[in-house]
Amino acid sequence: MNYFAPLYQNLETLQSFYVELEASLWEEHRGLISAEGERIEQANVSKEMLLQKITLAEKNREALVLQIGQQLGKPNASLKEIAEMAGDLRPQLLKKRDDLRTLIARVQDINAQNREYAENALKVLGGALTNIKDTLSGKKTYQKKGKLGKGPEQAGHFVSREA
């Protein structure tokens, strides 16, 4: 049954894309921790390209699963169901499926951490900008003015330096 081989190849391709995405997310993570804007930007560009590749590969995988399912008389079969019918490729397909699930979970976890770092950095930056703005704009409340100042006639001040 040679129509399982393209599915296996597709899963290998997806796995390689997710490994690259994980590496890109770790690069973004290091950039967020060290506050290196260019490093973060490069990681984001890399992520966007990989997400486009993953989207195309996922669409291809869905088409392959549908095609194989129709050939086997199960048009709505899942990847696991198809893998169960793959004969010699069964263990490899199931392993690729499990590996992809693990990779996707790790990618989601790293992405959540990065989002938290980015949100915290934005809060700190927002607070710093507010402090700078407040410092530059001066006091916004009314101040008492027009008090009589203490003159030299009060104790503790010299009336004259001449003796």
Side-chain angles (χ1 to χ4, degrees):
M1 296 189 178
N2 59 5
Y3 40 79
F4 293 111
L7 178 60
Y8 181 77
Q9 183 61 42
N10 175 265
L11 294 175
E12 277 191 332
T13 301
L14 271 169
Q15 184 177 7
S16 71
F17 289 157
Y18 276 108
V19 167
E20 288 181 55
L21 181 61
E22 182 181 24
S24 183
L25 286 168
W26 278 120
E27 187 63 25
E28 178 185 49
H29 186 83
R30 287 186 288 275
L32 286 166
I33 289 174
S34 62
E36 294 179 52
E38 190 169 320
R39 191 178 205 176
I40 295 168
E41 181 63 30
Q42 288 173 350
N44 280 326
V45 168
S46 175
K47 277 189 339 184
E48 288 298 320
M49 288 184 348
L50 285 166
L51 288 173
Q52 289 174 0
K53 290 177 181 180
I54 288 171
T55 301
L56 290 173
E58 277 293 332
K59 287 180 182 177
N60 189 26
R61 183 195 58 78
E62 289 172 2
L64 286 169
V65 167
L66 181 63
Q67 179 185 4
I68 293 170
Q70 288 173 343
Q71 289 174 351
L72 296 174
K74 293 188 174 187
N76 294 326
S78 67
L79 179 57
K80 184 178 181 181
E81 292 171 334
I82 287 176
E84 294 293 336
M85 298 181 271
D88 293 342
L89 268 179
R90 178 185 177 275
Q92 290 112 330
L93 284 173
L94 290 174
K95 177 147 178 39
K96 282 292 176 204
R97 176 183 167 268
D98 292 341
D99 291 348
L100 275 169
R101 284 180 173 222
T102 302
L103 266 171
I104 290 169
R106 282 198 320 239
V107 162
Q108 288 172 336
D109 185 46
I110 298 165
N111 200 39
Q113 287 178 26
N114 287 355
R115 184 180 312 117
E116 188 175 324
Y117 278 125
E119 287 172 357
N120 287 338
L122 287 173
K123 285 178 188 175
V124 168
L125 184 59
L129 289 173
T130 300
N131 288 341
I132 291 169
K133 180 182 168 190
D134 289 346
T135 301
L136 293 175
S137 66
K139 295 181 181 177
K140 296 179 181 178
T141 58
Y142 292 104
Q143 297 178 8
K144 282 188 171 182
K145 291 191 177 182
K147 270 189 173 179
L148 290 175
K150 295 181 180 178
E153 64 278 353
Q154 294 203 343
H157 292 282
F158 289 112
V159 176
S160 174
R161 291 183 184 242
E162 293 176 13

